[in-house]
Amino acid sequence: MRTVFVLLCVFVFISMEATSQIITREDSLTAGLIAKDNATVLSGYGSFNYQNNFTTEESKINVDRVVLFVGHKFNKKISFFSELELENARIANGQTEGEFALEQAFLKFDVNKRSYISAGLFIPRIGIINENHLPNTFNGSLRPYVETLIIPATWRELGVGYYTSSKRIPGLNYSIAVINGLNSSGFSNGSGIKEGRYEGSNASASAVAITGALLHYRGALRTQISGYYGGSAGLNSRMADSLQLNSGAFGTPVGMGEINVQYLGNRWQFKGLATLVALPDARAINRAYANNTAEQIFGAYAEVAYNFIKSANRTARVFARYEVLNMNFKLPDNAIYNGTIDQQYLIAGFCFLPISGVIIKADYTYRTSGDVNPALTISPYPQALPYFTQQHQLNVSLGYSF
Amino acid sequence: MNSSRREFLRKSCGLCASLAGSAVLLSYLQSCAPLLSLELEPQNNRIQVPLDSFKEGNKVVLVTNKNQEFDIAVVQLEDQKYKALILECTHFSNQLVATKTGFFCNAHGSSFHLDGSVNNAPAQNNLKEYKLIQEENQLIIYL
């Protein structure tokens, strides 16, 4: 009994110590960080998802992600931000489904009240979801497919970025960043440039990329245009020559352009985005790695939503989104057309936020695509599972951020 | 005859579209005029903002100085009352971007109405504000 009491006292003491050092966002970021030059912040977000594909008769339930945010403010000018993400709940016994990764880890140096420099592993300003990926900020259980498959959100790389806003033109922001390039050996036919990201893990610094964005707010309208241009060879000249790839900082280039418009009114909301990825050396990439890379990839979506409940804390809305993406938009002569990645989606559903930090979503997805190209099928039916060009899916999810 | 009528309709529609486009562009450019920004140092933990600053249709006046970590937006509301809002996002403490129609955070997309209330998540709390009192032709912000 005495031992239990002593242990209890130790626990209470440790807890008090802990709370005096680590404070939650509610205590610190919204209040204390102004006054305190030295504070640590703990926060996070996550989502849980149920999917039922009526066509393939498959259903699953999953912890999509749980992300722990840790930030620290050293003084009024310098802060540290990090997001540590666990996807699919666990990584164990050599299974490859889960992922435990740093989503962000960077130092932020405030130049003045309008400008700052980010250095480290950060998310460049490309697309909507990349920067604004908290589950309570987008409609639909799953992130838009265009911003998953073409703009591979959350796309983070190592580098330095400068962010500022115009004093002369209210609402105008611009940013420029230098980050490491991509790895073209990772490009794949089904996921474009996504698997070519280094995400801060032993990235080749031989390939470099420059990205920039212009962002303007006017009333409820938010307009953004962004671009990316960088190398993807990431090899020394000898190795690149042996693969007949162009080496150098911008060798074997990848370019991306993107424009998006959002209207976020009290009742009506609209989002539209279009993006084009260009890989002019796709032919050389295919010759080197045989990964059936396209020369151009295109995607766009438009979404309309209506808030039928909008109070100080509670929001309920219905939405519909149409997405079109073609990952074979333009092929080099040594690539093979794959109809399954020429897709269209119609997603409709509702979102309910009982408080602004928690969201419940339910939506229905109708997906159409081209058919399987027999030239890409190694083991045809009945060895391979049948492919359905039209699919119907129900998604229900729960998300939070605090 | 049909050709000239078609030409007339084409030109009329073109003119209307140009006028509508010009009106939208003009309104857009007007909104691009800079916000009035005043560099005012606090004295005895108070900042005095001249009421004249709100002449000529100014609804938002930015107050900045080297000591304040975040700018202050003094907003004239529809009922002729004023608020002194701290331009710190209540989500992750980023400096907000001020416009004539609201406040925006680039970090995670939160936005706030001119009265400081949350317009869009992830921010959950309204903007904090300083006490503000109107005295004759001055607005006094109490830090």
Side-chain angles (χ1 to χ4, degrees):
Chain A
M1 188 66 190
R2 192 176 162 188
T3 312
V4 171
F5 179 73
V6 170
L7 284 172
L8 193 65
C9 289
V10 170
F11 176 75
V12 169
F13 176 74
I14 290 170
S15 301
M16 286 172 69
E17 279 294 298
T19 50
S20 67
Q21 289 172 14
I22 298 173
I23 29 191
T24 67
R25 182 181 58 79
E26 287 302 309
D27 297 330
S28 58
L29 271 174
T30 58
L33 276 188
I34 302 170
K36 293 171 189 168
D37 271 353
N38 211 313
T40 302
V41 179
L42 199 59
S43 184
Y45 70 90
S47 60
F48 313 89
N49 194 11
Y50 165 78
Q51 296 175 16
N52 190 342
N53 189 316
F54 301 120
T55 312
T56 60
E57 296 179 344
E58 292 171 309
S59 66
K60 73 167 190 176
I61 188 162
N62 187 33
V63 180
D64 275 352
R65 53 181 57 85
V66 169
V67 179
L68 184 67
F69 171 95
V70 179
H72 182 77
K73 185 174 184 180
F74 296 96
N75 60 31
K76 285 181 180 175
K77 294 279 185 187
I78 303 174
S79 312
F80 169 76
F81 293 83
S82 72
E83 285 183 16
L84 194 60
E85 177 181 60
L86 176 60
E87 283 188 358
N88 306 326
R90 69 169 190 164
I91 302 168
N93 304 328
Q95 291 176 356
T96 54
E97 285 190 358
E99 181 180 291
F100 189 56
L102 266 177
E103 202 165 75
Q104 299 187 70
F106 64 90
L107 284 157
K108 179 176 169 239
F109 302 88
D110 289 348
V111 179
N112 54 46
K113 286 174 191 169
R114 295 178 183 278
S115 314
Y116 62 88
I117 293 167
S118 293
L121 181 69
F122 64 93
I123 295 172
R125 185 168 291 159
I126 303 172
I128 299 171
I129 293 293
N130 214 28
E131 278 191 315
N132 303 326
H133 51 265
L134 304 185
N136 52 336
T137 62
F138 62 89
N139 297 320
S141 300
L142 303 173
R143 295 170 177 176
Y145 293 93
V146 170
E147 294 202 75
T148 305
L149 293 169
I150 299 180
I151 301 172
T154 44
W155 184 5
R156 64 274 191 182
E157 300 290 0
L158 282 161
V160 181
Y162 176 70
Y163 295 77
T164 188
S165 60
S166 167
K167 196 172 182 180
R168 285 186 60 82
I169 303 174
L172 179 66
N173 304 269
Y174 44 99
S175 62
I176 188 159
V178 180
I179 54 178
N180 63 266
L182 293 163
N183 175 11
S184 52
S185 72
F187 295 168
S188 75
N189 183 242
S191 60
I193 61 171
K194 186 173 185 171
E195 300 306 323
R197 299 171 302 173
Y198 285 102
E199 299 179 318
S201 179
N202 292 310
S204 166
S206 302
V208 174
I210 292 177
T211 172
L214 277 173
L215 164 64
H216 186 247
Y217 297 104
R218 181 182 181 267
L221 197 65
R222 181 192 189 276
T223 311
Q224 179 182 297
I225 184 164
S226 69
Y228 171 97
Y229 185 81
S232 72
L235 302 167
N236 62 35
S237 56
R238 184 191 172 112
M239 292 167 77
D241 285 349
S242 70
L243 292 167
Q244 293 183 281
L245 292 173
N246 291 317
S247 59
F250 297 99
T252 318
V254 175
M256 179 185 281
E258 171 268 336
I259 183 164
N260 72 72
V261 178
Q262 293 184 70
Y263 174 81
L264 301 174
N266 264 339
R267 291 289 175 191
W268 289 99
Q269 301 192 331
F270 170 81
K271 289 180 187 178
L273 179 145
T275 184
L276 181 75
V277 180
L279 300 105
D281 288 357
R283 191 177 190 284
I285 294 169
N286 289 334
R287 189 176 52 212
Y289 301 119
N291 48 12
N292 203 14
T293 297
E295 206 167 290
Q296 287 182 4
I297 299 169
F298 171 77
Y301 70 82
E303 177 186 292
V304 64
Y306 180 74
N307 291 322
F308 57 91
I309 298 173
K310 175 91 177 179
S311 63
N313 292 316
R314 188 174 297 182
T315 305
R317 75 173 69 101
V318 287
F319 77 95
R321 182 167 70 239
Y322 172 72
E323 297 193 52
V324 57
L325 61 94
N326 187 352
M327 305 190 77
N328 316 280
F329 194 63
K330 188 178 177 192
L331 295 176
D333 58 13
N334 61 354
I336 302 169
Y337 176 79
N338 179 357
T340 65
I341 51 173
D342 185 353
Q343 303 170 345
Q344 294 180 71
Y345 295 86
L346 186 61
I347 302 133
F350 82 93
C351 305
F352 175 58
L353 292 91
I355 53 170
S356 60
V358 173
I359 192 163
I360 302 158
K361 309 179 189 183
D363 46 86
Y364 178 84
T365 302
Y366 172 59
R367 183 187 115 156
T368 62
S369 72
D371 213 342
V372 174
N373 185 343
L376 288 167
T377 307
I378 297 165
S379 305
Y381 185 81
Q383 279 77 26
L385 291 170
Y387 180 78
F388 300 94
T389 56
Q390 296 183 34
Q391 295 189 27
H392 302 264
Q393 183 167 306
L394 173 73
N395 302 305
V396 179
S397 75
L398 192 62
Y400 66 88
S401 82
F402 60 91
Chain B
M1 185 67 185
N2 279 345
S3 172
S4 62
R5 190 175 169 185
R6 196 175 294 124
E7 185 72 9
F8 172 75
L9 285 171
R10 196 177 63 81
K11 283 184 176 171
S12 303
C13 290
L15 187 67
C16 287
S18 307
L19 286 172
S22 305
V24 170
L25 189 66
L26 194 66
S27 134
Y28 199 84
L29 288 173
Q30 278 175 341
S31 79
C32 289
L35 288 175
L36 180 62
S37 179
L38 303 173
E39 190 152 346
L40 301 169
E41 292 298 326
Q43 291 174 341
N44 300 324
N45 279 332
R46 299 192 310 176
I47 297 177
Q48 293 188 347
V49 182
L51 210 51
D52 283 356
S53 315
F54 290 90
K55 279 183 177 175
E56 298 169 0
N58 285 338
K59 300 285 183 192
V60 182
V61 172
L62 289 180
V63 174
T64 181
N65 63 57
K66 287 174 186 169
N67 297 316
Q68 293 293 124
E69 188 173 357
F70 296 95
D71 286 343
I72 301 166
V74 183
V75 181
Q76 185 187 47
L77 302 173
E78 284 180 1
D79 54 5
Q80 298 300 307
K81 287 182 178 170
Y82 295 87
K83 273 190 172 184
L85 302 167
I86 304 169
L87 294 184
E88 176 198 16
C89 184
T90 55
H91 179 233
F92 273 156
S93 196
N94 284 72
Q95 173 81 39
L96 295 171
V97 176
T99 72
K100 292 178 178 178
T101 48
F103 309 105
F104 301 88
C105 180
N106 284 332
H108 296 95
S110 300
S111 66
F112 301 85
H113 295 293
L114 275 185
D115 65 358
S117 60
V118 175
N119 185 26
N120 280 296
Q124 295 171 44
N125 300 314
N126 296 340
L127 294 183
K128 287 191 296 173
E129 54 187 286
Y130 287 121
K131 184 182 169 187
L132 183 144
I133 290 174
Q134 186 174 343
E135 284 181 7
E136 297 179 348
N137 56 353
Q138 299 280 337
L139 294 170
I140 315 291
I141 301 170
Y142 289 84
L143 302 177

